[in-house]
Amino acid sequence: SAAERGSAVTLHLVVRDDPRPLRATGPGPPQVAVPSSLRATEIAGRRWVGSGRVLLITPAAGWSGLLPGQPVVADGLLAPATRSDLTLSVLRARGEPRDVGPPPWWQSGAGSLREGLRRAAGVLPEASAALLPGLAVGDTGAMSAELHDDFRAAGLAHLTAVSGANLAIVAGAVLGLLRLLRAGP
């Protein structure tokens, strides 16, 4: 009912996935969508502990660098979820996240690897530099809306959505196995 009324709330959350850039629909700062898991809700001085999926629509500043597993506190206005999945509500967050906690060690490691791949791809032309991390590990954060649309129109969006990450996992496992077997180059 708080979402139906558009109530002002404070949510205690854990980031579930990488923040994804949203298309600009008008003037204003760039925004990101941040899939999160609810831990607690504060409305008008009252607090409820609960769980469920919440989608944050936030300014990119302060949010775009978050990693999955990081606990955060966000203030904003609730709105009803329009998706047909298990999302409870949407929060239109105001300002930067508060009380940001550290991500789990494995997410820090994955974030470092993705950042290294983005830096290494920086020598390529802009579109290629954005596409390489998407194909290799599923990191589509730097891809333009036009490039996303081109992949979707060509029926190749799955290459950056899941296949890239799966390929990285399989390749990492094979390389690890070869290392254990002391195979040479």
Side-chain angles (χ1 to χ4, degrees):
S1 64
E4 296 291 332
R5 292 190 309 269
S7 298
V9 299
T10 297
L11 298 182
H12 298 259
L13 308 154
V14 174
V15 176
R16 278 191 18 243
D17 200 354
D18 291 318
R20 295 192 177 104
L22 297 175
R23 284 182 192 225
T25 57
Q31 294 190 320
V32 293
V34 185
S36 302
S37 296
L38 180 66
R39 294 295 164 101
T41 305
E42 296 176 18
I43 303 174
R46 296 181 65 196
R47 181 180 170 106
W48 290 272
V49 175
S51 62
R53 294 181 184 178
V54 177
L55 180 65
L56 278 70
I57 306 298
T58 71
W63 292 91
S64 60
L66 293 177
L67 293 172
Q70 282 190 276
V72 298
V73 176
D75 299 310
L77 300 175
L78 277 182
T82 57
R83 302 169 68 167
S84 60
D85 60 8
L86 298 176
T87 301
L88 298 174
S89 64
V90 174
L91 179 73
R92 296 215 171 261
R94 296 180 289 216
E96 296 188 9
R98 296 186 290 119
D99 301 332
V100 178
W105 65 268
W106 62 89
Q107 291 293 354
S108 294
S112 296
L113 289 173
R114 286 193 307 258
E115 181 58 35
L117 181 58
R118 283 192 291 266
R119 276 195 313 272
V123 299
L124 299 171
E126 186 177 340
S128 299
L131 182 58
L132 180 61
L135 291 173
V137 293
D139 179 5
T140 61
M143 286 176 57
S144 68
E146 293 80 21
L147 192 53
H148 275 286
D149 289 345
D150 290 346
F151 265 73
R152 196 169 288 123
L156 298 173
H158 66 282
L159 293 176
T160 60
V162 177
S163 299
N166 288 343
L167 176 63
I169 291 167
V170 171
V174 168
L175 290 173
L177 180 61
L178 290 172
R179 185 170 215 166
L180 284 173
L181 297 173
R182 297 191 170 145

